[in-house]
Amino acid sequence: QQQVKQSPQSLIVQKGGISIINCAYENTAFDYFPWYQQFPGKGPALLIAIRPDVSEKKEGRFTISFNKSAKQFSLHIMDSQPGDSATYFCAPNDMRFGAGTRLTVKP
Amino acid sequence: NAGVTQTPKFQVLKTGQSMTLQCAQDMNHEYMSWYRQDPGMGLRLIHYSVGAGITDQGEVPNGYNVSRSTTEDFPLRLLSAAPSQTSVYFCASRFILGQADTYGYTFGSGTRLTVV
């Protein structure tokens, strides 16, 4: 059973642009929505997370927006930088990871 | 703090061999888990532990055993390696963030296992 669907699989953005990654889930019992960032050769690292009692959370250039009725949450990276190039995973309740989105930010 | 330490970083096994992937954390985290990462599959949970002496199965437990005799260590055992177990394995421990019921994971740097 696929409980988490992440899109797009890959994304190329110019420096300074906005990167948007989406995550759709099926399990309405999920109550914790984190995004993880993974650089090549490293383990994933928690980037930002949200609880369903709020619709948006911002930390620096990173924003999570949450749509409970649509069972979706998104990661927005403002002013994208080459150093943001990594693979991003959504992981509702940390039990099911999405397949990942490989982000490339071109200088 | 060293965080989560995994050994070895690389390993090649022959089909049918057994081995143990080591994982240790020095942060006194109760919750630890093992994942495998395959291209296009994200990370899949193999086993997890909520504390010393307690383990449970995750999404893909077949072919793997775990034990948790101490808070610090959570080894993963492959009993009879198969080519389908070729993957990158990550160990993680869970920490509580400032807000109640909010948490994150610290991952090790991974073990790249090839079974031939």
Side-chain angles (χ1 to χ4, degrees):
Chain A
Q1 178 185 5
Q2 184 181 14
Q3 296 193 21
V4 177
K5 189 171 184 178
Q6 193 173 329
S7 61
Q9 285 187 313
S10 63
L11 180 63
I12 300 175
V13 174
Q14 290 294 127
K15 178 182 176 181
I18 301 173
S19 304
I20 302 175
I21 305 170
N22 301 301
C23 187
Y25 61 95
E26 297 175 359
N27 191 338
T28 56
F30 288 150
D31 60 357
Y32 180 65
F33 302 92
W35 284 96
Y36 285 83
Q37 179 187 56
Q38 184 180 29
F39 293 106
K42 303 291 186 182
L46 177 67
L47 183 63
I48 188 171
I50 197 170
R51 287 267 177 199
D53 53 342
V54 296
S55 60
E56 187 174 282
K57 180 177 180 180
K58 183 177 180 180
E59 291 185 356
R61 296 184 293 108
F62 301 92
T63 300
I64 289 184
S65 60
F66 179 68
N67 186 330
K68 187 175 181 179
S69 61
K71 293 188 288 185
Q72 290 184 346
F73 64 111
S74 302
L75 174 67
H76 296 235
I77 306 175
M78 311 300 288
D79 187 26
S80 299
Q81 300 297 312
D84 297 330
S85 297
T87 300
Y88 293 82
F89 295 95
C90 63
N93 280 38
D94 288 313
M95 298 297 283
R96 292 284 187 270
F97 276 72
T101 296
R102 178 170 291 184
L103 172 66
T104 303
V105 181
K106 290 189 173 295
Chain B
N1 287 350
V4 177
T5 303
Q6 287 184 240
T7 56
K9 292 190 181 301
F10 302 94
Q11 183 71 49
V12 178
L13 287 179
K14 294 182 179 179
T15 297
Q17 286 185 318
S18 63
M19 80 160 294
T20 299
L21 280 62
Q22 301 292 341
C23 177
Q25 54 97 2
D26 60 358
M27 299 170 286
N28 203 34
H29 292 165
E30 292 293 330
Y31 188 106
M32 297 184 72
S33 51
W34 276 101
Y35 295 85
R36 60 177 290 174
Q37 185 173 29
D38 302 293
M41 299 291 288
L43 286 91
R44 291 182 291 170
L45 181 65
I46 304 172
H47 285 284
Y48 64 97
S49 168
V50 298
I54 306 170
T55 64
D56 207 345
Q57 296 181 351
E59 186 182 359
V60 288
N62 292 341
Y64 308 94
N65 276 358
V66 292
S67 60
R68 185 91 181 272
S69 57
T70 66
T71 299
E72 293 79 19
D73 300 299
F74 190 41
L76 178 72
R77 296 184 186 86
L78 280 71
L79 304 177
S80 179
S84 61
Q85 293 178 304
T86 294
S87 187
V88 180
Y89 291 85
F90 288 100
C91 178
S93 69
R94 191 168 76 181
F95 59 93
I96 304 298
L97 296 173
Q99 182 180 347
D101 293 332
T102 304
Y103 48 86
Y105 280 78
T106 298
F107 282 82
S109 56
T111 295
R112 186 174 295 274
L113 175 67
T114 301
V115 182
V116 298

